[in-house]
Amino acid sequence: MKQRENFGSKLGIIMATAGSALGLGNIYRFPCEAGANGGGAFLIVYLAVALLVGTTLMLSEFIIGRRSRSNPIGAFRALEGKKNGWMAIGWLGVVCAFLILAFYTTVAGWTLGYLGKAAANHFEGQDLAQIQVQFSSFTTHPWLPIVCQLAFLALTAVVVARGVKDGIEKWSKILMPLLLVIMVVLCIKSLTLPGASQGMSFFFKPDFSKINGDVLISALGQSFFSLSIGMGALITYGSYIGAKDNMVSSSVSVVLADTLVAILAGIIIFPAAFSFGIKPEAGASLVFTTLPMVFQQMTGGYFFCLIFFVLLVIATLTSTISLLEVIVAATTEEMHLSRTKAAILGTVVTAVIGLLATLSFRTGSPLHINGKIFFDLLDSVTALYLMPLGGLFIVLFVGWRMKKADAIDELTNGGTLRIGIRKVIYYLIRYMAPVAILVIFISQLLQ
Ligand code: TRP
């Protein structure tokens, strides 16, 4: 049997999983979703779902991954055999990885483009209208966003082809803490802008009357997206976790860190957006217009802006790596391709779908389906349907299909770890998580 790689250390799993979790989901998608879904009302549902359902689902994926030591498709085969339908969950995850990576790299490309703009000092002295025009002319430019997207994909492929240990761990360990520091600096700046308090009350004062099926499913989808759960990315990472590592404390740490970064992003974006007169519902442009405006107001803004975009590109890269890793682990193990060939194949297929997502931002582009641009379609199909569905079956699998003793054995590393709440965790996986996902899923369908 061939030797599978493992993460090198306990810090390695936390950092690699955090690297997967932290990314555009926190800094770009979270403010967009919170802005579109009533601010505080969204935040409160998000916190409940991420902390409760998110942690239990993350643990369930780790349990499946470490127990089977396999990619999401092979994992269900290893634990269940080929006959019953569970392997479909693995396939669904791999399809999901392609679809997410395709539209994720659109925005990843923008971050690369904005890094270029930051370096070339394109924001200094520009007013809001000019910054808004910069965003729309960049995203609808005939070739620039495509070149940026392809460059980003290529960068991802190079790291993934080199393997988990060198590639993923090394990057995440050093740079993620640095991102946190710069975000705190940005929060302070944003909070001291005139009119910031309006943004704070938008983000932190929940208007409970705004909570409806749409807000619930958006929060669920956002928490799955942000934590990289519901499609097997963490089954894949779980398969690299060592036998002695504590999965419970690792997942709690990652969920807390991810939630913290999302909240920090909200504290940066909303006060500043209200202060500059940018609407919280502005969607795609919200983050890419608010941030340059904030940097412009800061002493040393050029420098901070540059570092911020360097770190954002890297945070994004550790997320695209985890998505491509799902595809590569599945194709190397299921189709017996080499890592390099698998990385190239995965990248080419993603690039084709991804180009359509990027092109769909052009005005008059024919890439509209049901009144939605192709980019938004990929985003909502994955976050609102495929990931909740995948997540539901993953928790059902661990809670109902696996033997209780096996699940607890994984949680406690064969009984060597003293985890007082192991039974509570098990019952949260068995009852709370599936019920919560189902209720939210159905409440949206009924609306
Ligand atoms: N969680 C990442 C973010 O917030 C994106 C991501 C990486 C992801 N891997 C994933 C999302 C797997 C869903 C599934 O930016």
Side-chain angles (χ1 to χ4, degrees), residues 79-393:
L79 299 175
E80 273 298 319
K82 279 187 194 163
K83 296 220 179 59
N84 54 32
W86 286 100
M87 267 172 77
I89 310 299
W91 283 103
L92 181 74
V94 176
V95 170
C96 220
F98 276 112
L99 300 180
I100 297 172
L101 193 55
F103 76 88
Y104 198 83
T105 47
T106 298
V107 185
W110 298 352
T111 63
L112 215 49
Y114 266 63
L115 174 59
K117 280 177 177 289
N121 206 5
H122 277 186
F123 307 124
E124 199 180 286
Q126 300 263 299
D127 61 20
L128 178 62
Q130 287 167 318
I131 288 208
Q132 279 165 336
V133 168
Q134 280 202 45
F135 177 75
S136 57
S137 39
F138 176 75
T139 51
T140 58
H141 189 278
W143 48 265
L144 213 50
I146 294 178
V147 171
C148 291
Q149 179 180 32
L150 293 179
F152 209 101
L153 261 170
L155 210 59
T156 309
V158 169
V159 182
V160 170
R162 295 182 51 191
V164 238
K165 230 191 221 157
D166 293 347
I168 303 166
E169 260 190 81
K170 212 166 64 190
W171 287 95
S172 311
K173 254 187 232 169
I174 323 162
L175 294 156
M176 290 308 100
L178 208 59
L179 180 66
L180 211 66
V181 173
I182 201 156
M183 287 185 73
V184 171
V185 174
L186 277 171
C187 278
I188 296 168
K189 180 67 207 179
S190 192
L191 287 174
T192 51
L193 290 169
S197 60
Q198 251 182 306
M200 285 301 271
S201 26
F202 172 78
F203 187 44
F204 284 110
K205 275 214 190 109
D207 172 354
F208 290 98
S209 68
K210 289 214 174 111
I211 298 180
N212 57 23
D214 278 342
V215 172
L216 290 178
I217 190 78
S218 304
L220 185 82
Q222 173 59 25
S223 69
F224 282 21
F225 189 90
S226 188
L227 295 169
S228 311
I229 50 185
M231 45 70 74
L234 299 187
I235 295 184
T236 310
Y237 274 23
S239 73
Y240 307 129
I241 296 179
K244 293 207 180 103
D245 294 321
N246 184 335
M247 301 194 292
V248 177
S249 65
S250 303
S251 12
V252 172
S253 318
V254 172
V255 171
L256 290 179
D258 189 77
T259 308
L260 175 70
V261 173
I263 294 176
L264 286 179
I267 302 178
I268 295 168
I269 297 297
F270 292 116
F274 275 80
S275 171
F276 300 125
I278 300 168
K279 292 221 161 43
E281 309 84 26
S285 70
L286 177 66
V287 169
F288 286 91
T289 52
T290 309
L291 283 176
M293 292 295 290
V294 177
F295 287 118
Q296 214 186 44
Q297 314 270 322
M298 283 169 85
T299 17
Y302 172 80
F303 176 70
F304 278 113
C305 184
L306 194 60
I307 302 192
F308 176 81
F309 277 107
V310 169
L311 293 173
L312 183 60
V313 164
I314 292 164
T316 307
L317 186 63
T318 53
S319 300
T320 53
I321 287 169
S322 78
L323 285 158
L324 187 59
E325 179 64 25
V326 174
I327 297 169
V328 167
T331 38
T332 49
E333 291 171 11
E334 300 300 310
M335 293 163 56
H336 308 291
L337 290 181
S338 71
R339 273 192 86 83
T340 309
K341 281 199 187 126
I344 294 173
L345 183 71
T347 304
V348 170
V349 176
T350 307
V352 173
I353 317 172
L355 287 183
L356 299 177
T358 303
L359 290 172
S360 72
F361 275 93
R362 294 229 202 129
T363 27
S365 127
L367 295 159
H368 283 68
I369 300 165
N370 273 338
K372 265 192 175 165
I373 63 170
F374 186 62
F375 174 96
D376 288 334
L377 189 78
L378 289 177
D379 177 307
S380 43
V381 164
T382 48
L384 305 185
Y385 298 96
L386 301 184
M387 284 193 272
L389 208 66
L392 176 64
F393 282 103

